[in-house]
Amino acid sequence: MATFKYSQPYIHPKSYKDKQAKQVDKWFIRYKITFEDSETEYRKEYGKSYKQAQPINYPPNHKNKVANAELLLDLITYDLENGIDPRNREVEKLEKKKMEIKEAEKYKVRYIFDLWFAANNYVNPIPSKEISATKYKGFWLNQFIPHLETIGKAGDIRQVTDEDINHWIKLNYDAGKWSAYTVGIKIGLLTGVFKYAYKQKFMKQNPMVYIDRIKENKVVVKNGESTIKQAKEARFNILTAKELELLYQYFDLKNESIAKTLSYAFIRFSEIFRLQLKHLNTNKWQFEIPATIAKGQRDGRTAIVKIYPPLQEVLIRYLGEYFGDDRKPDYYLFHQFLKTKPSTYSIFQHYFIETKRRIKVEMDIDITKSPYCFKHTGAKSFIDQNKAKSKSSYQIIEAIKMMMRHKDFNTSQKYIYADLGMNLDEESDFTFD
């Protein structure tokens, strides 16, 4: 398709009359078009190349000519704005359609699976990879892609969400087709392809980071007696985008502010409810947390915690509504009825549980995670955003260490890799030439 610049088309004559105020019988659309090679054409278009429009001057009465001219003007303007030369429109529209089809093809789940399959040397695998290649191919081609076809998403991997995957897993688990152990295997078979799609920028978000593993109660036999070991909820679960959106939709301003302080500043609950207005510096937008309320801060220093714009925005609204102009330094930031009495974690937890119940009743969505997940969800979002900005693994770990006030680099590494289950390494294939 040719690249060009153009002048805004118009109906000639503009007033349907000439300079002597006489009716002009023959009208046309006038515009100027200049191509890359600087060739300029002054065009007159009467409508013969447009099947959607009658030729301007037929039938010849004034009312019909006005209607035909205005329709033709719209069609020509649309083509020019979309990079289509009106004189070559049928050929260029066909080429554009082919390009759109080709562009859409690259997002097909089967196409991306084939790319990943080849990139991992599974097409003609070495003996040690033959079993893995068979498992991946059988699972994707016989199970997962057919499932995506039934929900209409096999044609575009960008449409596949964590909710689609979690729902499919739960259906198979609840039906007794898969055990919790099998679910873990299936998640492993899914993870590699979606991670590849994310790294190759086919997707803006990797849905697998939000996939819930299934925990089952276990029977433990000790001294000949059987006891049931209850499955515990993972401490480091992450809220999905949908869950986060719903919670903030249902939260009042105060509890939204508490949750976002945890999500964007990573301040511990044990500290959040002891924060006073004197610890909030709105000039520099930072929390200044003294050792008297900070966990593990034995050196007596004051911890400085940056307040990022999303948290600034909600705190501005919160301070205005809950304090107004009455802002004494010793007031608790998150207080009960009296500003001199701090709120507590149990109050927030009770509110959180009640909110989840409302969402379950009104939206039929069951959120099973704990309030601590706000912190881990925020940490994951921070890491993802900075990975996308090409920050190095070392830089990200150092930032998490500073923001979360971990005691050392290894603690932050463990938190990211083991607790959150994230991999900061951009490449897994190394060479030693």
Side-chain angles (χ1 to χ4, degrees):
M1 292 174 64
T3 302
F4 55 79
K5 295 180 180 179
Y6 62 92
S7 64
Q8 194 64 30
Y10 62 92
I11 300 170
H12 180 87
K14 290 184 179 181
S15 63
Y16 311 122
K17 294 181 180 181
D18 63 15
K19 293 180 180 179
Q20 285 73 41
K22 293 181 180 179
Q23 290 288 117
V24 177
D25 292 331
K26 212 159 190 179
W27 300 356
F28 52 84
I29 304 300
R30 165 79 77 181
Y31 64 95
K32 181 176 73 173
I33 188 166
T34 304
F35 294 92
E36 281 182 314
D37 58 4
S38 299
E39 177 188 352
T40 299
E41 297 178 13
Y42 294 87
R43 298 274 184 85
K44 294 180 180 180
E45 179 61 64
Y46 294 93
K48 291 181 180 179
S49 60
Y50 283 82
K51 296 176 183 177
Q52 303 100 313
Q54 287 274 14
I56 289 181
N57 300 293
Y58 179 84
N61 68 71
H62 184 80
K63 183 178 179 181
N64 285 329
K65 287 171 73 173
V66 170
N68 293 342
E70 289 178 347
L71 174 58
L72 183 58
L73 177 64
D74 288 343
L75 293 170
I76 291 173
T77 302
Y78 176 84
D79 280 350
L80 291 170
E81 288 176 348
N82 285 276
I84 298 171
D85 179 1
R87 290 279 172 88
N88 201 27
R89 66 189 310 270
E90 293 304 324
V91 173
E92 292 196 358
K93 279 178 70 179
L94 181 60
E95 287 301 313
K96 189 173 183 181
K97 188 65 177 175
K98 286 180 181 177
M99 287 175 64
E100 288 173 352
I101 293 171
K102 187 177 180 181
E103 178 71 10
E105 287 287 320
K106 77 177 186 180
Y107 293 107
K108 283 189 173 181
V109 177
R110 174 62 192 266
Y111 173 72
I112 292 168
F113 170 77
D114 288 343
L115 288 179
W116 173 85
F117 200 73
N120 284 273
N121 299 317
Y122 286 136
V123 176
N124 294 302
I126 58 176
S128 63
K129 283 192 169 186
E130 285 179 354
I131 294 176
S132 296
T134 301
K135 284 183 179 178
Y136 278 115
K137 196 166 187 177
F139 172 73
W140 276 82
L141 302 191
N142 300 330
Q143 294 185 49
F144 189 60
I145 291 178
H147 165 67
L148 293 181
E149 287 170 348
T150 63
I151 64 173
K153 294 191 176 183
D156 192 342
I157 198 168
R158 295 170 298 181
Q159 295 181 11
V160 181
T161 67
D162 52 278
E163 291 177 340
D164 296 325
I165 300 169
N166 273 324
H167 181 66
W168 184 56
I169 289 172
K170 196 169 186 304
L171 278 178
N172 283 282
Y173 177 76
D174 290 346
K177 295 179 181 178
W178 296 348
S179 66
Y181 175 76
T182 304
V183 167
I185 293 173
K186 304 298 184 185
I187 289 174
L189 294 172
L190 288 167
T191 298
V193 179
F194 279 106
K195 183 179 178 181
Y196 173 84
Y198 171 72
K199 288 178 67 175
Q200 298 299 319
K201 305 199 183 304
F202 289 108
M203 308 180 78
K204 291 184 178 179
Q205 190 174 46
N206 178 3
M208 295 307 297
V209 300
Y210 297 113
I211 300 307
D212 298 326
R213 293 183 179 272
I214 292 174
K215 303 284 184 180
E216 289 180 330
N217 296 334
K218 294 182 180 178
V219 177
V220 179
V221 180
K222 189 174 182 180
N223 299 326
E225 293 185 4
S226 298
T227 56
I228 296 177
K229 185 179 180 182
Q230 296 287 337
K232 292 183 179 179
E233 180 187 349
R235 284 182 59 207
F236 300 96
N237 276 341
I238 293 169
L239 293 160
T240 67
K242 181 66 174 178
E243 289 172 338
L244 203 58
E245 178 189 352
L246 277 173
L247 286 167
Y248 286 142
Q249 179 182 321
Y250 276 76
F251 274 4
D252 61 25
L253 179 56
K254 179 179 181 179
N255 287 283
E256 178 188 358
S257 302
I258 293 171
K260 287 187 175 178
T261 299
L262 192 69
S263 295
Y264 290 107
F266 308 145
I267 296 178
R268 304 170 181 92
F269 276 122
S270 61
E271 299 168 352
I272 284 178
F273 298 108
R274 298 166 70 190
L275 288 172
Q276 294 174 295
L277 293 188
K278 62 187 175 186
H279 303 136
L280 174 60
N281 187 331
T282 55
N283 292 321
K284 296 183 178 179
W285 278 112
Q286 61 188 29
F287 287 110
E288 298 166 355
I289 308 174
T292 52
I293 68 172
K295 180 181 177 183
Q297 216 158 281
R298 297 185 181 89
D299 57 5
R301 65 184 177 85
T302 296
I304 304 300
V305 178
K306 183 177 179 179
I307 300 175
Y308 287 90
L311 180 54
Q312 291 176 23
E313 185 274 331
V314 73
L315 286 178
I316 288 170
R317 289 190 287 117
Y318 172 73
L319 290 169
E321 182 171 324
Y322 281 78
F323 292 91
D325 295 328
D326 182 21
R327 301 189 184 185
K328 294 179 182 178
D330 290 337
Y331 282 165
Y332 284 95
L333 178 60
F334 301 115
H335 52 270
Q336 296 186 37
F337 181 74
L338 297 174
K339 297 184 178 76
T340 53
K341 188 173 182 180
S343 188
T344 65
Y345 172 71
S346 60
I347 293 174
F348 177 74
Q349 184 185 39
H350 178 77
Y351 180 87
F352 182 72
I353 292 169
E354 288 302 314
T355 301
K356 291 195 297 181
R357 284 177 182 164
R358 283 182 59 203
I359 292 171
K360 174 64 176 174
V361 170
E362 296 175 19
M363 306 293 291
D364 195 27
I365 295 175
D366 191 13
I367 301 175
T368 60
K369 295 153 190 172
S370 74
Y372 289 96
C373 294
F374 284 107
K375 179 180 179 180
H376 311 310
T377 304
K380 188 211 163 295
S381 178
F382 175 84
I383 293 166
D384 280 342
Q385 288 182 43
N386 285 284
K387 277 180 67 178
K389 293 178 181 177
S390 301
K391 297 290 186 183
S392 70
S393 298
Y394 178 83
Q395 288 174 310
I396 292 172
I397 296 170
E398 274 293 318
I400 288 291
K401 174 180 174 290
M402 182 179 68
M403 294 171 68
M404 293 199 167
R405 291 168 282 149
H406 288 156
K407 64 179 180 179
D408 54 38
F409 191 84
N410 288 340
T411 301
S412 301
Q413 271 187 310
K414 178 181 177 297
Y415 175 73
I416 295 169
Y417 285 87
D419 297 336
L420 295 183
M422 299 183 71
N423 182 10
L424 296 181
D425 302 320
E426 292 302 319
E427 300 296 337
S428 58
D429 299 322
F430 296 92
T431 59
F432 203 149
D433 297 328

